[in-house]
Amino acid sequence: MKNALAYADAHRSNFVDELKTLLRIPSVSTDPAFAGEVQRTADYLADHMKALGMQRAEAIDTGGHPIVLAEHFVDPALPTVLVYGHYDVQPPDPLDLWHSPPFEPVERDGLLYARGACDDKGQLFMHIKAFEAFMKTTGQPPVNLKFILEGEEECGSKHLAGFISDHADELRADIVVISDTALFAPGVPSITYGLRGLAYVEVSLTGPNRDLHSGTYGGAIDNPINALARLIAGLHDQDHRITIDGFYDDVIPLTSDERATMRALPFNDEEWAADVGVSHTRTEAGFSALEGSCARPTLDCNGIWGGYTGEGAKTVLPSKAHAKISMRLVPDQTPEDITNKIRAYFEANTPCTMKLDFKPMHGGHGVLVDTHSPAMEAAAEALVGTYGKRPFFTRIGGSIPVVADFKRILGLDSVLMGFGLDSDAIHSPNEHFGIDRFHEGIASIIRFMTLYGS
Amino acid sequence: MKNALAYADAHRSNFVDELKTLLRIPSVSTDPAFAGEVQRTADYLADHMKALGMQRAEAIDTGGHPIVLAEHFVDPALPTVLVYGHYDVQPPDPLDLWHSPPFEPVERDGLLYARGACDDKGQLFMHIKAFEAFMKTTGQPPVNLKFILEGEEECGSKHLAGFISDHADELRADIVVISDTALFAPGVPSITYGLRGLAYVEVSLTGPNRDLHSGTYGGAIDNPINALARLIAGLHDQDHRITIDGFYDDVIPLTSDERATMRALPFNDEEWAADVGVSHTRTEAGFSALEGSCARPTLDCNGIWGGYTGEGAKTVLPSKAHAKISMRLVPDQTPEDITNKIRAYFEANTPCTMKLDFKPMHGGHGVLVDTHSPAMEAAAEALVGTYGKRPFFTRIGGSIPVVADFKRILGLDSVLMGFGLDSDAIHSPNEHFGIDRFHEGIASIIRFMTLYGS
């Protein structure tokens, strides 16, 4: 390990230069015009890993953008680590807000600016450089190593789950490691052990069969907007708890340890609220804002529309009203069950004056990983080695569907060890990655592999 | 009177032919391309009335479309009737749904088809023909007669109230008579004595200062759509009564006579609901559908919008949500007072997580006319003479702002004696007017003038 760390330290500028080469290829996956560049990125990564001595590395056609699969087998007695990352990037628009061109990486004040610098080329490249550090010193990594690098993460991961199923044998491993998340704060290492799932539905109410004159009919024909508002309002009680029958049945309660950890995190409610321009948070009674935003299930209207929405006044009693509603889920809620339960709510409470159209849109499972597993312990120790302090185990409010896919299809837990920061402007102009954090990531991964392998 | 009625009967086909001439001029007031036609219609009416012996008739410039003012003075001992009507028409679109061209009037099955046949050229022309019947027989009408014929009713009556104020002296009268409404049903004469007013507002809530990721913030940052839904839902209670503080304070209760009249009307709840495709009406507890739609105040969302409303799913926690809300008012509610009261509701109930933007849009007063006045008695008797039965006195749920304007500016009540039918397709393709109803209207107006003048 010492040699590998020394090698990594000695090659800091080479590693950054190589990352710049990777960042120069505009692998924008949503835009078909860039399909060739996405392919070129996949080929570059496969070639680069082979050049470093990886036993197998190839860009495999998926019908969409290729998936890079790589493998380096050392010893059947060693555990196998499967690294997931994605080499595609968000479109760089709006271009005029970038201070330097998005695909011409530049260093400024210790930060490397480029589209993909953090999300996720910079972070996946740390794993390749850790592999290199072992190959150039001890001659082989301390674990069996596999890579699955996706090119469609930013456009819906259409082919990923199918690919994992189809290549289940080749992907067999003991743990998945993913670096696609952020530190809790600068210098505050964290490992994400919880992700929320999602159930997303669209609801439409039809009252009268056409838009009516509100003078002629108002007061006797029920209004679908008013009715939909009543239904949406009824989804929360005064304590901001969700009223859907059985909604909380399968929620694994936060443990007192988890709550203590959250209280210890450097998180300031008021600053967090002020940053998005609100004076107060609003959370389910009995839970902090951090708990509410990360570790409790939610229900949000994502969109609503109906009737006249143009300029001025039109006295219409509309025929229809619509809402998009999504719920963030936590284990062991399932999107199927929650979708059925909210459907039951709407079916039971839609007034007899309205016709209901209920459309499930999509869903995903939440994830909770055992923080006491050998892999998690190794990851925590590795971060202690790099940062001099034990990481916080954190839950995040969003979803990373691939984590649930690995669990569902391969039975594998994931270690989410990310080195980004919320301020890295991923998906925005002037995306960047701290060069120190890039090197901290490589050192942490070297330590993790060593600790997990022993 | 007998002579005038005989003259009208003898000239039935002449009257229809003359109406056709009037209907051939496409006086579409909303479309500037038709401004010349609107002017031509005004001039035609003024000339036609002068040719019939009207002492004064002129098309007066308003800055918009002209108003035709006419006057025939008989005797200071006689009451003065001011006839209001409008000679402009709705656009004829969609043209391809007309069975015959909208400005080429044709008779089919006793109906005269043309844009404006009923609304309102056909109905205002009845008053001119009644005047003619007196001029050609007794030599003068049995009342002093004034006309105010508007050319902007279908585009917002921008210049009408100002014109009435500016010409208050010339418009002095004892009663206004308007034929711009419908019979309650074929062969069921009715006089409208009540109109609802209106208060229309737009409400916007701002939560976070930008659209947020519902995974990262959902559960701790309040959602403006959910909050707006709660506010809208709170505007009605379980009995479908409006909860705004003091909302009903100034409502003049329905009298038992009024309620008995409404119960006697040939109105079938279920058919009325089925006609607009709903299985049940929904009315304030204790009131029938007819009472709710005509004689009680209401609150309807006319439009709502916020967040993501496109195809598919987007997990946004939106910054803003908006609604247009209107209330139909009944005397003695005023739009100013009710607007203040709903503003107070929103100010008191908007949660501390939201910023409220409250925008009054416009308003109008409701009207209730004394059904026992000499003019109303004369109108009722006139309809008995024509239909052989006493008319129902009815209230309608919509607004005719000019009625409130005449009351407010000139202190005049209006007699709303209309001969249309709800099935006349006004504002739609194939507008028509029953030729029998046209003649019934002329005869009824002849009777009314005679009775009111004596």
Side-chain angles (χ1 to χ4, degrees):
Chain A
M1 175 168 91
K2 271 186 189 157
N3 294 339
L5 288 171
Y7 175 89
D9 197 47
H11 290 78
R12 289 169 78 102
S13 63
N14 308 52
F15 287 178
V16 172
D17 287 345
E18 287 171 352
L19 174 57
K20 287 181 184 169
T21 305
L22 178 62
L23 293 170
R24 282 193 193 97
I25 320 177
S27 52
V28 178
S29 56
T30 49
D31 186 343
F34 288 85
E37 302 292 345
V38 177
Q39 177 74 51
R40 195 152 73 85
T41 312
D43 292 338
Y44 173 85
L45 285 166
D47 292 346
H48 186 70
M49 288 193 278
K50 268 189 289 194
L52 295 176
M54 187 80 70
Q55 290 160 359
R56 175 198 173 194
E58 54 182 313
I60 299 176
D61 186 38
T62 64
H65 297 306
I67 286 176
V68 179
L69 214 55
E71 184 173 351
H72 196 87
F73 179 79
V74 181
D75 186 327
L78 291 175
T80 301
V81 170
L82 173 61
V83 175
Y84 165 86
H86 68 91
Y87 65 85
D88 64 324
V89 298
Q90 280 276 316
D93 314 83
L95 281 171
D96 56 328
L97 296 183
W98 284 79
H99 302 312
S100 54
F103 298 108
E104 295 176 22
V106 293
E107 296 176 46
R108 282 197 302 272
D109 303 327
L111 303 173
L112 179 61
Y113 284 83
R115 171 57 84 227
C118 175
D119 179 21
D120 180 46
K121 283 174 171 171
Q123 296 217 60
L124 76 84
F125 204 60
M126 301 182 309
H127 291 268
I128 296 173
K129 294 296 102 179
F131 170 73
E132 175 181 334
F134 286 113
M135 294 299 283
K136 300 290 187 187
T137 52
T138 59
Q140 58 187 24
V143 293
N144 301 313
L145 202 53
K146 296 180 180 181
F147 281 80
I148 178 170
L149 306 179
E150 184 191 4
E152 296 184 329
E153 200 269 350
E154 302 293 4
C155 61
S157 296
K158 276 195 213 63
H159 299 90
L160 184 66
F163 186 93
I164 294 172
S165 293
D166 294 347
H167 296 76
D169 265 3
E170 292 160 81
L171 293 168
R172 229 175 319 180
D174 295 290
I175 193 75
V176 177
V177 177
I178 303 177
S179 297
D180 194 18
T181 52
L183 299 173
F184 191 82
V188 182
S190 55
I191 296 173
T192 300
Y193 72 98
L195 297 166
R196 293 199 286 200
L198 185 72
Y200 199 115
V201 305
E202 189 173 307
V203 175
S204 300
L205 292 186
T206 304
N209 55 16
R210 57 186 184 273
D211 286 357
L212 301 178
H213 189 288
S214 75
T216 311
Y217 293 93
I221 297 295
D222 204 8
N223 180 316
I225 300 179
N226 292 55
L228 184 59
R230 287 193 295 274
L231 286 166
I232 292 170
L235 286 163
H236 286 93
D237 66 15
Q238 294 289 65
D239 290 332
H240 212 57
R241 277 177 66 83
I242 295 155
T243 59
I244 296 167
D245 219 30
F247 185 80
Y248 293 97
D249 282 358
D250 298 319
V251 171
I252 298 175
L254 280 161
T255 66
S256 53
D257 272 5
E258 288 184 290
R259 304 191 75 173
T261 301
M262 287 202 185
R263 277 194 299 274
L265 283 166
F267 180 86
N268 182 309
D269 253 54
E270 279 161 31
E271 282 171 20
W272 186 72
D275 177 56
V276 297
V278 305
S279 57
H280 296 78
T281 56
R282 183 182 172 100
T283 310
E284 184 188 349
F287 293 94
S288 72
L290 188 58
E291 290 169 337
S293 65
C294 293
R296 292 292 297 172
T298 70
L299 185 148
D300 273 296
C301 281
N302 308 102
I304 193 164
W305 68 105
Y308 180 70
T309 59
E311 279 298 300
K314 188 174 171 185
T315 50
V316 65
L317 194 170
S319 170
K320 287 173 189 290
H322 315 266
K324 293 177 192 279
I325 300 173
S326 70
M327 289 143 291
R328 296 281 167 179
L329 310 181
V330 301
D332 283 333
Q333 292 177 307
T334 69
E336 298 77 17
D337 180 60
I338 292 297
T339 299
N340 285 337
K341 284 172 173 166
I342 191 173
R343 182 204 292 272
Y345 169 88
F346 275 99
E347 287 176 350
N349 293 289
T350 294
C352 62
T353 51
M354 296 287 147
K355 279 186 277 289
L356 169 70
D357 182 23
F358 180 93
K359 190 162 68 174
M361 303 284 280
H362 73 241
H365 289 73
V367 170
L368 268 182
V369 179
D370 176 13
T371 57
H372 300 295
S373 69
M376 286 297 237
E377 288 295 348
E381 266 315 298
L383 291 168
V384 171
T386 300
Y387 289 95
K389 50 183 136 179
R390 204 169 156 74
F392 288 102
F393 284 99
T394 56
R395 296 171 68 158
I396 59 175
S399 307
I400 306 184
V402 67
V403 175
D405 289 341
F406 283 128
K407 185 72 182 178
R408 185 172 52 84
I409 303 170
L410 303 179
L412 291 181
D413 279 339
S414 297
V415 173
L416 295 161
M417 183 169 46
F419 299 87
L421 282 177
D422 284 343
S423 56
D424 283 343
I426 67 170
H427 293 213
S428 297
N430 304 307
E431 176 177 350
H432 56 269
F433 193 23
I435 293 165
D436 282 352
R437 285 182 278 124
F438 175 63
H439 296 303
E440 288 161 13
I442 295 167
S444 301
I445 291 162
I446 289 170
R447 289 190 172 95
F448 167 74
M449 286 204 260
T450 308
L451 291 163
Y452 187 56
S454 66
Chain B
M1 176 170 88
K2 271 185 188 154
N3 293 340
L5 288 172
Y7 176 89
D9 196 49
H11 291 78
R12 290 170 78 102
S13 61
N14 308 53
F15 288 178
V16 172
D17 286 345
E18 287 170 353
L19 175 57
K20 287 181 185 170
T21 304
L22 179 62
L23 293 171
R24 283 193 192 96
I25 319 178
S27 52
V28 178
S29 56
T30 50
D31 186 343
F34 288 85
E37 302 292 345
V38 177
Q39 177 73 51
R40 196 154 71 88
T41 312
D43 293 338
Y44 173 85
L45 285 166
D47 292 346
H48 186 71
M49 288 193 279
K50 268 191 287 192
L52 295 176
M54 187 80 70
Q55 289 159 359
R56 176 199 172 192
E58 53 182 314
I60 299 176
D61 186 37
T62 64
H65 298 306
I67 286 176
V68 178
L69 213 57
E71 183 174 353
H72 196 87
F73 179 79
V74 182
D75 186 327
L78 291 175
T80 301
V81 170
L82 173 61
V83 174
Y84 165 85
H86 68 91
Y87 65 84
D88 64 324
V89 298
Q90 280 275 317
D93 313 81
L95 281 172
D96 56 328
L97 295 184
W98 285 80
H99 301 312
S100 54
F103 298 107
E104 296 176 22
V106 293
E107 297 177 46
R108 281 196 303 273
D109 303 327
L111 304 174
L112 179 61
Y113 285 84
R115 171 57 84 227
C118 175
D119 179 21
D120 180 48
K121 283 173 170 171
Q123 295 216 60
L124 76 82
F125 204 61
M126 299 181 310
H127 291 268
I128 296 173
K129 294 296 102 179
F131 169 74
E132 173 182 335
F134 285 113
M135 294 300 283
K136 300 288 188 187
T137 53
T138 59
Q140 57 187 25
V143 292
N144 301 312
L145 202 52
K146 296 181 179 181
F147 281 80
I148 178 169
L149 306 178
E150 185 191 3
E152 296 183 328
E153 200 268 352
E154 303 293 5
C155 61
S157 297
K158 276 198 214 60
H159 299 89
L160 184 66
F163 186 92
I164 294 173
S165 292
D166 294 346
H167 297 76
D169 265 2
E170 291 160 83
L171 293 169
R172 225 171 326 177
D174 296 289
I175 193 76
V176 177
V177 177
I178 303 177
S179 296
D180 195 18
T181 50
L183 299 173
F184 192 82
V188 183
S190 55
I191 296 173
T192 300
Y193 71 98
L195 296 165
R196 292 198 287 201
L198 185 72
Y200 199 115
V201 305
E202 188 173 308
V203 175
S204 299
L205 292 187
T206 304
N209 55 16
R210 57 186 184 273
D211 286 357
L212 302 178
H213 190 288
S214 75
T216 311
Y217 293 92
I221 297 296
D222 204 9
N223 180 316
I225 301 178
N226 293 53
L228 184 59
R230 288 192 294 274
L231 286 166
I232 292 170
L235 287 164
H236 286 93
D237 66 14
Q238 294 288 63
D239 290 333
H240 212 56
R241 274 177 69 86
I242 295 154
T243 60
I244 297 167
D245 220 30
F247 185 81
Y248 293 97
D249 282 358
D250 298 320
V251 171
I252 299 176
L254 280 160
T255 64
S256 53
D257 271 5
E258 287 184 291
R259 303 192 75 174
T261 300
M262 287 203 183
R263 277 194 298 276
L265 282 167
F267 180 85
N268 182 308
D269 252 55
E270 280 161 31
E271 281 172 20
W272 186 72
D275 177 56
V276 297
V278 305
S279 57
H280 297 78
T281 55
R282 183 181 172 102
T283 310
E284 184 189 348
F287 293 93
S288 71
L290 187 59
E291 289 169 339
S293 65
C294 292
R296 293 293 297 172
T298 70
L299 185 149
D300 273 295
C301 280
N302 307 103
I304 193 164
W305 68 105
Y308 180 70
T309 59
E311 278 298 301
K314 188 174 173 186
T315 51
V316 64
L317 195 169
S319 172
K320 286 172 189 291
H322 314 266
K324 293 178 192 278
I325 300 173
S326 69
M327 289 144 290
R328 295 282 168 175
L329 311 179
V330 301
D332 283 331
Q333 292 177 308
T334 70
E336 297 78 18
D337 180 61
I338 292 297
T339 299
N340 285 337
K341 284 172 174 167
I342 190 172
R343 181 202 295 273
Y345 168 89
F346 275 99
E347 287 175 350
N349 293 288
T350 294
C352 62
T353 52
M354 297 286 146
K355 281 188 275 291
L356 170 70
D357 182 23
F358 180 93
K359 190 161 66 174
M361 302 285 281
H362 72 239
H365 290 72
V367 170
L368 269 182
V369 180
D370 175 13
T371 56
H372 301 295
S373 69
M376 287 298 235
E377 289 294 347
E381 266 315 296
L383 290 169
V384 171
T386 301
Y387 290 95
K389 50 184 137 179
R390 207 169 155 77
F392 288 103
F393 284 98
T394 56
R395 296 172 68 159
I396 60 175
S399 307
I400 305 182
V402 67
V403 175
D405 289 342
F406 282 127
K407 184 72 183 179
R408 182 173 52 85
I409 304 169
L410 302 179
L412 292 182
D413 279 339
S414 296
V415 172
L416 295 161
M417 183 169 47
F419 299 88
L421 282 178
D422 285 342
S423 56
D424 282 344
I426 66 170
H427 294 213
S428 299
N430 304 307
E431 176 177 351
H432 56 268
F433 193 24
I435 292 165
D436 281 352
R437 284 181 280 125
F438 175 64
H439 296 301
E440 288 161 13
I442 295 166
S444 301
I445 292 162
I446 289 171
R447 290 190 171 96
F448 167 76
M449 288 202 260
T450 308
L451 291 162
Y452 186 57
S454 65

